[in-house]
Amino acid sequence: QVQLVESGGGLVQAGGSLSLSCLASGSIFSINDMGWYRQAPGKQRELVATITSGGSSTYADSVKGRFTISRDNAKNTVLLQMNSLKPEDTAVYYCYADHRPSGTLRYIRYWGQGTQVTVSS
């Protein structure tokens, strides 16, 4: 089993910055993609950013140029630096990791518990 624990959420004024981190722990063999989704009240969960084990990243159009995703493979950690935050960024942010157990070829997606980000206008 793999556990993901997020930290770094909170309340910030519009235009401010927050940094989220997510640590994967447990019986880790191989992690491929890691990333972040978010879900605002009454809305579907949406992809925010992803990063491969090689460091290639993709972003939702709504956060391009404002958010930066990074990871430390040695520490099984993924970070999300959020700048120029807007009220519409308010949501619960969930990290995920695609993990392949030893002896298998299939990746399993694990999720964190979520961390609240609130941006006031």
Side-chain angles (χ1 to χ4, degrees):
Q1 282 289 340
V2 174
Q3 297 83 39
L4 300 179
V5 178
E6 300 127 336
S7 60
L11 173 65
V12 66
Q13 288 189 331
S17 298
L18 279 176
S19 181
L20 305 182
S21 64
C22 175
L23 170 66
S25 63
S27 302
I28 294 173
F29 177 70
S30 176
I31 295 177
N32 190 12
D33 290 358
M34 301 183 79
W36 296 88
Y37 278 73
R38 68 186 181 186
Q39 187 167 20
K43 294 189 176 181
Q44 299 264 16
R45 187 176 293 193
E46 64 173 352
L47 179 65
V48 176
T50 68
I51 186 167
T52 68
S53 58
S56 296
S57 57
T58 59
Y59 297 91
D61 287 343
S62 59
V63 306
K64 280 181 182 177
R66 300 188 298 122
F67 291 11
T68 302
I69 190 170
S70 60
R71 66 189 280 177
D72 185 330
N73 290 332
K75 297 180 179 179
N76 296 316
T77 299
V78 61
L79 305 175
L80 186 68
Q81 177 64 40
M82 304 183 294
N83 298 328
S84 303
L85 283 160
K86 304 175 181 179
E88 51 263 44
D89 294 317
T90 296
V92 178
Y93 284 69
Y94 299 90
C95 70
Y96 75 88
D98 291 336
H99 175 255
R100 179 170 64 89
S102 175
T104 72
L105 296 177
R106 187 169 65 96
Y107 282 89
I108 301 170
R109 178 159 291 184
Y110 291 87
W111 294 92
Q113 80 283 0
T115 185
Q116 177 71 46
V117 171
T118 302
V119 185
S120 63
S121 56

